[in-house]
Amino acid sequence: MTYSAQFGDLWPSVRIGLLSEQKYGALINNFSSEERVTGDLRSMGASDFLHETPHTSDLSCYTFPRGDITRFPPARSGARGLLEYYLLDAASLLPVLALSVRPEHRALDLCAAPGGKTLALLMESCRYLAANDASLSRCRRLRRVLLSYIPQELHSEERLRVTSEDGTEWPEEAVYDRVLVDAPCTADRHSLLEEENNIFNRMRMKERQVLPLLQTQLLLSGLRAVVPGGDVVYSTCTLSTLQNECVVERALGLAASEYGIRTEVQDLRCFREIFKKTFDFQKDCRLGELVLPNLTANYGPLYLCKLRRLH
Ligand code: SAM
């Protein structure tokens, strides 16, 4: 009922996308990849959607063309015993690309597990990455992912730190050049298809009701942790404006009134043009960008908004 009012005529097509099998992308592991792997993926009909665009990035992610629902085989171990690619919703790389991490940057991934975006951030080769997730069990999964994909030399304290803290109580202020706040949300696609531990269970009603508050607090932590002049990307995998645009607006207001932090929303409209061959974007998202599920390009939902801290 909420989404049919929010999306109008577009809703039936978004809904059928959400109810159908999602598409994946194969994020190539820069630390192990060999020509053979990308050759194999190309021979299956997949191509690197990032290298077909003007966006410069160290990442390579293979996807099948629109309308092609071929599945990727599971990744195998390659050179150095590391897995050759990581399967993820290709749209979930957009927040990482929006962060534009450079080799001199210190970055924080505040809600990191299971770690798809953490891997992408490491492959963008930032100087230092702090990866955090409040859930101990999910943090264990994050560590396993890192061990399977990242070479030994990067598992050093100077390059990578993994913690399991409550991100709303993050103690560091004005330390990081880039912060990713990939917040917990109603995870719409997952919630539609999985019964177990579903956030729409009556038992979890309270938790669901306070989600926008938790998201706002996490984004506030991100805005406090970034240095003036640095960027924060807020992202979710829900279509809900209450968890997306409204959270951004509320956090920007509170950052100014409670902490004197001024921020500016960065324009990501160019993403719509650059990535239109691969993803369907909502055309009139009030703040930030939203990738909409669609049967021919069944990625998302993925919301992202980039914020620059001014002082
Ligand atoms: N970034 C991850 C990735 O790309 O694989 C996905 C993150 S998932 C959308 C959100 C995560 O936030 C969950 O793993 C959850 O455990 C974590 N989380 C929930 N509440 C948190 C909090 N207060 N502080 C930090 N992390 C939290």
Side-chain angles (χ1 to χ4, degrees):
M1 282 194 299
T2 306
Y3 289 156
S4 63
Q6 187 177 323
F7 292 102
D9 291 348
L10 215 55
W11 173 237
S13 117
V14 176
R15 179 178 176 277
I16 200 75
L18 275 177
L19 287 166
S20 308
E21 191 170 317
Q22 87 178 104
K23 279 183 86 164
Y24 283 89
L27 172 65
I28 300 296
N29 186 357
N30 287 351
F31 302 112
S32 89
S33 104
E34 295 163 20
E35 268 300 303
R36 177 187 51 75
V37 184
T38 49
D40 287 352
L41 292 173
R42 269 196 293 272
S43 68
M44 291 173 69
S47 58
D48 180 1
F49 84 90
L50 291 169
H51 283 217
E52 293 166 348
T53 64
H55 192 91
T56 48
S57 162
D58 289 341
L59 303 178
S60 301
C61 184
Y62 280 72
T63 52
F64 289 103
R66 268 183 190 260
D68 182 337
I69 55 166
T70 312
R71 293 181 189 161
F72 289 100
R76 291 181 303 186
S77 292
R80 313 161 88 182
L82 300 171
L83 290 174
E84 290 170 332
Y85 52 77
Y86 184 89
L87 294 179
L88 77 184
D89 183 326
S92 68
L93 288 180
L94 297 177
V96 176
L97 297 172
L99 265 184
S100 304
V101 171
R102 292 197 301 269
E104 68 274 20
H105 284 158
R106 289 169 63 84
L108 167 65
D109 187 356
L110 195 60
C111 306
K117 298 182 190 69
T118 317
L119 284 182
L121 285 167
L122 285 165
M123 287 174 200
E124 293 261 76
S125 41
C126 53
R127 174 161 65 100
Y128 176 81
L129 180 67
N132 175 71
D133 198 283
S135 155
L136 274 174
S137 58
R138 287 176 67 94
C139 227
R140 273 196 292 276
R141 198 159 145 216
L142 168 66
R143 283 179 205 275
R144 277 201 302 276
V145 167
L146 292 173
L147 283 174
S148 308
Y149 286 88
I150 304 296
Q152 203 58 48
E153 62 268 21
L154 253 85
H155 293 270
S156 69
E157 273 178 24
E158 304 85 66
R159 294 295 302 276
L160 175 63
R161 187 181 80 195
V162 179
T163 52
S164 191
E165 305 290 338
D166 178 355
T168 65
E169 310 264 319
W170 196 255
E172 292 174 304
E173 290 195 31
V175 167
Y176 297 94
D177 305 288
R178 298 286 185 267
V179 178
L180 178 60
V181 182
D182 188 35
C185 66
T186 45
D188 298 355
R189 189 185 280 279
H190 180 82
S191 302
L192 262 181
L193 302 175
E194 299 272 328
E195 267 314 309
E196 205 188 318
N197 204 25
N198 195 306
I199 187 119
F200 287 93
N201 273 345
R202 202 180 290 239
M203 305 263 288
R204 296 185 70 188
M205 190 161 80
K206 184 82 201 132
E207 193 184 334
R208 199 169 74 243
Q209 284 169 341
V210 297
L211 260 180
L213 182 63
L214 171 64
Q215 291 157 338
T216 306
Q217 288 172 337
L218 287 167
L219 180 49
L220 265 179
S221 289
L223 291 169
R224 296 176 69 197
V226 80
V227 295
D231 292 332
V232 176
V233 169
Y234 174 75
S235 56
T236 70
C237 53
T238 176
L239 299 165
S240 157
T241 42
L242 276 181
Q243 297 173 64
N244 295 336
E245 294 94 317
C246 296
V247 166
V248 171
E249 283 167 336
R250 181 96 182 104
L252 293 192
L254 285 170
S257 62
E258 302 290 313
Y259 303 104
I261 294 174
R262 278 200 39 236
T263 26
E264 189 179 72
V265 177
Q266 302 296 292
D267 192 348
L268 288 178
R269 263 177 303 185
C270 61
F271 269 35
R272 267 188 249 166
E273 188 55 33
I274 297 176
F275 298 112
K276 69 177 178 201
K277 212 174 125 198
T278 311
F279 305 114
D280 269 24
F281 287 89
Q282 186 178 6
K283 289 184 184 64
D284 47 6
C285 193
R286 194 159 48 82
L287 199 63
E289 298 295 331
L290 179 65
V291 173
L292 295 174
N294 174 298
L295 270 189
T296 66
N298 209 356
Y299 303 104
L302 189 285
Y303 173 79
L304 72 159
C305 187
K306 179 172 177 174
L307 308 161
R308 180 154 301 157
R309 177 172 172 173
L310 299 179
H311 64 72

